[in-house]
């Protein structure tokens, strides 16, 4: 049976073995990956030089390239240490944490003492039970004032993970958190439709659906399954829609 993995940390069966990632990573990313794999936590990526007065965030193109480099480095570490599944679980946790813009602003703020940042990193690592190489990676990102890129880094890493493991990602949106067995059934349905080796389910809440759920999957989440009550109400309303009548008073 093909592996079905839910992003909400529910594992139905072991994930497929990861293939070796591409060797086309940038030298800086590769150096970081190899160093972390050898257990050298003191190594840090060189931060790009900034011109005097350049205190803004990187351009969109620069941010995308930087996020890809960081994600590539982490992918290499995870693949070499056979910990892709554990690492993607770590990144899912960090995605939720860094969804709070204040977190990234705190870490990227040069006026905040490094000791305070270290204390918060330690707290995050302990509460989220992050792997040592993920903690080291987080330190690298923060030391280079790239915390604001964490959401992009997570997306890039997940894209690499999905490609390496033959995984289809599906986003399930519902009013309340669905039970594990319900998510497993959805994962099985998506797998049957796509023929993917593995399926990862990400969950989101949206009270406007009233009840039921929606599922987005495929390239750029272009495929959509709508099983919400909101849709049913819209369909019923359209069936009973009557032409407007002008009433004279």
């Amino acid at each position: 049976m093909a592996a079905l993995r839910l992003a909400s940390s529910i594992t139905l069966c072991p994930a497929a073995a990861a293939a070796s990632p591409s060797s086309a990573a940038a030298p800086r990313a590769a150096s970081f990956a190899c160093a972390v794999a050898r257990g050298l936590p003191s190594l840090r990526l060189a931060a790009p030089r900034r011109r005097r007065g350049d205190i803004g965030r990187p351009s969109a193109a620069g941010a995308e390239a930087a996020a890809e480099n960081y994600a590539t480095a982490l992918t290499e570490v995870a693949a070499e240490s056979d910990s892709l599944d554990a690492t993607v679980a770590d990144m899912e946790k960090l995605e939720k944490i860094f969804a709070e813009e204040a977190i990234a602003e705190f870490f990227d703020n040069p006026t905040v003492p490094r000791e305070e940042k270290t204390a918060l990193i330690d707290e995050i690592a302990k509460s989220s039970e992050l792997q040592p190489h993920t903690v080291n990676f987080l330190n690298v990102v923060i030391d280079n004032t790239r915390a604001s890129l964490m959401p992009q880094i997570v997306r890039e890493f997940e894209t690499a993970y999905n490609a390496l493991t033959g995984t289809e990602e599906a986003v399930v949106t519902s009013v309340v958190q669905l039970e594990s067995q319900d998510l497993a059934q959805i994962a099985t349905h998506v797998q049957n439709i796509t023929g993917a080796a593995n399926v990862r389910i990400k969950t989101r809440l949206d009270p406007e659906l009233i009840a039921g759920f929606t599922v987005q999957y495929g390239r750029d989440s272009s495929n959509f399954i709508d099983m919400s009550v909101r849709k049913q109400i819209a369909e019923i309303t359209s069936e009973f829609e009557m032409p407007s009548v002008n009433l004279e008073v």
Side-chain angles (χ1 to χ4, degrees):
M1 178 180 176
L4 302 179
R5 187 182 180 285
L6 306 182
S8 50
S9 301
I10 302 166
T11 304
L12 303 184
C13 59
S20 296
S22 171
S23 59
R28 286 192 310 163
S31 297
F32 166 75
C34 295
V36 176
R38 291 197 305 268
L40 302 177
S42 61
L43 184 65
R44 295 291 182 266
L45 289 173
R49 292 186 178 182
R50 293 185 179 179
R51 293 171 297 180
R52 185 184 298 271
D54 181 11
I55 60 174
R57 287 192 172 129
S59 64
E64 183 178 350
E68 184 177 357
N69 282 342
Y70 281 105
T72 298
L74 184 59
T75 301
E76 291 185 355
V77 172
E80 290 174 8
S81 59
D82 195 24
S83 60
L84 276 169
D85 286 342
T87 305
V88 79
D90 284 351
M91 296 305 281
E92 289 163 3
K93 296 171 185 176
L94 291 179
E95 180 181 30
K96 294 178 181 178
I97 292 172
F98 281 84
E100 295 289 337
E101 190 174 347
I103 296 293
E105 291 179 349
F106 171 84
F107 281 125
D108 281 348
N109 188 339
T111 67
V112 176
R114 186 58 170 88
E115 301 78 44
E116 293 184 19
K117 296 180 181 180
T118 299
L120 183 53
I121 292 172
D122 291 343
E123 182 180 337
I124 291 173
K126 184 177 180 180
S127 62
S128 300
E129 299 181 343
L130 301 179
Q131 299 176 97
H133 71 259
T134 304
V135 178
N136 184 71
F137 180 79
L138 183 56
N139 273 287
V140 171
V141 172
I142 289 170
D143 282 350
N144 291 335
T145 61
R146 296 292 199 174
S148 61
L149 294 183
M150 187 59 72
Q152 292 171 264
I153 294 173
V154 171
R155 287 194 295 271
E156 291 287 349
F157 179 82
E158 289 179 334
T159 297
Y161 170 88
N162 293 342
L164 286 171
T165 59
T167 298
E168 181 72 43
E169 184 175 289
V171 178
V172 177
T173 304
S174 56
V175 178
V176 296
Q177 187 66 44
L178 299 180
E179 298 293 334
S180 299
Q181 58 267 27
D182 297 325
L183 295 174
Q185 290 180 359
I186 294 173
T188 300
H189 182 65
V190 172
Q191 185 184 39
N192 291 337
I193 293 174
T194 63
N198 314 294
V199 174
R200 292 176 59 242
I201 297 291
K202 280 194 167 187
T203 59
R204 293 176 182 169
L205 299 181
D206 181 2
E208 293 187 3
L209 294 180
I210 304 176
F213 61 89
T214 65
V215 182
Q216 289 179 279
Y217 64 96
R219 188 177 183 84
D220 299 324
S221 299
S222 56
N223 296 313
F224 190 71
I225 301 173
D226 195 339
M227 301 294 291
S228 66
V229 169
R230 181 177 64 183
K231 177 191 176 185
Q232 297 174 21
I233 291 177
E235 291 177 344
I236 293 174
T237 301
S238 64
E239 290 179 3
F240 286 91
E241 199 171 63
M242 299 180 65
S244 59
V245 177
N246 295 324
L247 299 177
E248 296 183 2
V249 179

